[in-house]
Amino acid sequence: MSTRTNRHYFDHAATTPIRQSAVDVWVENADVLNPGGTYASGRRAQSVLAEAREMIADALGCEPIEVVFTGSGTEADNIAVRGFAQAAAHRGETPRIVTTPIEHPAVKETVSALSAGATHADVDYLPVTSTGHIEDLSFLQSPASVAAMMWANNETGAIQPVAEAARACQETGTPLHVDAVQVVGHLPVDFSSLGATTLAASAHKFGGPRGVGILLAKRSPVPSPIITGGGQQRGIRPGTPDAAGAIATAVALKEAVDEMDAERTRLTQLTARLRSGLEESVDKLVVHTCEPNLSGHLFVSFPGAEADSLIMLFDSLGIEVAAGSACSSGVNRASHVLLAMGVDEKVSRGAIRFTLGRTTTDDDVDAVLAHVTDVVSRARLAGMA
Ligand code: PLP
């Protein structure tokens, strides 16, 4: 807990601290057994799972049967994108996928694997504007095996026209998968009126436990299962469901939705103060987050500095920020999102993502503003690799 109180945490889009209500309900239900059991303890587990499904359906405007629990947002994305591509392959077709160049790796790498692997999928990428938004949906005018589009980008926070995409997909009978991992719990979601076929969410992005994802899946069409097993959860995601994780997710989501309007107003103000403070303190700041955007995202570049140096210097001062780039290999690479938006490679390498959330206070913003001038000038002195 102490790490939470004495650090200034600005990586809420990566994961946000779990809500106490979710911890409490998880602990209460930690001894719940197999929801598939046809005896008393099984019925108890089944009723916990059913309650979780009902609460989630209520929060996201869908039917309880449409709620499928997974192990992560990544898994939910894989089930949908691979599953619909595989369904086309089973019909003897070469799958056609329409997606965007700014997807999270959970979708991006899945599409690449389907295109390069035995499936040989054809892929069309909807172009992105310099503000990070998808505007031209022309590729959706012809039918595809699956279209996959994120509702809001995890790096810039840019909100995408998913309702328009859903309308275009309905015209051609294309199943649309919406990656709503950054949106669920932060913006209103009504799955039934949206018109998408599947939608992915992830509990740890709205104060639920890590390791629980959600796939909303309409009754038809359904993705072909990508894992096989005991047929649980309509066969879409077989395996014994985690009832305690499910109810903790449902409780966290209800709380997030109840607080949503007030929290959006609060975060919009805090983020605006951070942005204007950075603009005043740092010369040549480049702001990559453009409206319409999520209220807690601020993605900026400090040209002349490497993101790695900035992160290390901020970290030594108790300030936790992230780069937008994929640096899991330890090598700082330019963000694929910024490159797709046409941002210069060097500028991209100095990109830092501040994401504010439920626990962010004025004090956290003050800490960044107190140190940013010094941090950036030291990082610029260290130069680019
Ligand atoms: N999709 C988006 C847009 C995300 O931001 C993330 C996580 O950052 C994921 C998918 C993957 O979610 P998870 O971490 O639950 O696998």
Side-chain angles (χ1 to χ4, degrees), residues 64-94:
I65 184 116
E66 294 174 330
V67 178
V68 176
F69 292 104
T70 67
S72 60
T74 300
E75 188 188 351
D77 283 330
N78 268 265
I79 291 174
V81 177
R82 281 181 196 273
F84 285 122
Q86 209 163 279
H90 290 161
R91 293 191 298 267
E93 301 163 11
T94 299

Side-chain angles (χ1 to χ4, degrees), residues 339-380:
L339 295 182
M341 286 163 59
V343 176
D344 174 78
E345 205 257 348
K346 276 199 167 156
V347 173
S348 304
R349 275 170 41 201
I352 290 292
R353 182 183 71 170
F354 295 88
T355 50
L356 289 66
R358 204 177 81 253
T359 58
T360 313
T361 61
D362 273 311
D363 184 42
D364 296 316
V365 172
D366 291 341
V368 174
L369 298 181
H371 294 293
V372 69
T373 314
D374 185 43
V375 163
V376 173
S377 56
R378 284 165 66 192
R380 281 179 174 160

Side-chain angles (χ1 to χ4, degrees), residues 13-15 71-77 102-107 150-155 179-183 200-205 210-213 297 353:
T15 196
S72 60
T74 300
E75 188 188 351
D77 283 330
I102 56 168
E103 297 302 305
H104 183 276
V107 168
M150 60 192 348
W151 195 325
N153 184 263
N154 47 298
E155 297 187 11
D179 179 350
V181 167
Q182 290 293 330
V183 160
S202 180
H204 71 107
K205 309 286 186 182
R210 274 156 284 283
V212 183
H297 272 65
R353 182 183 71 170

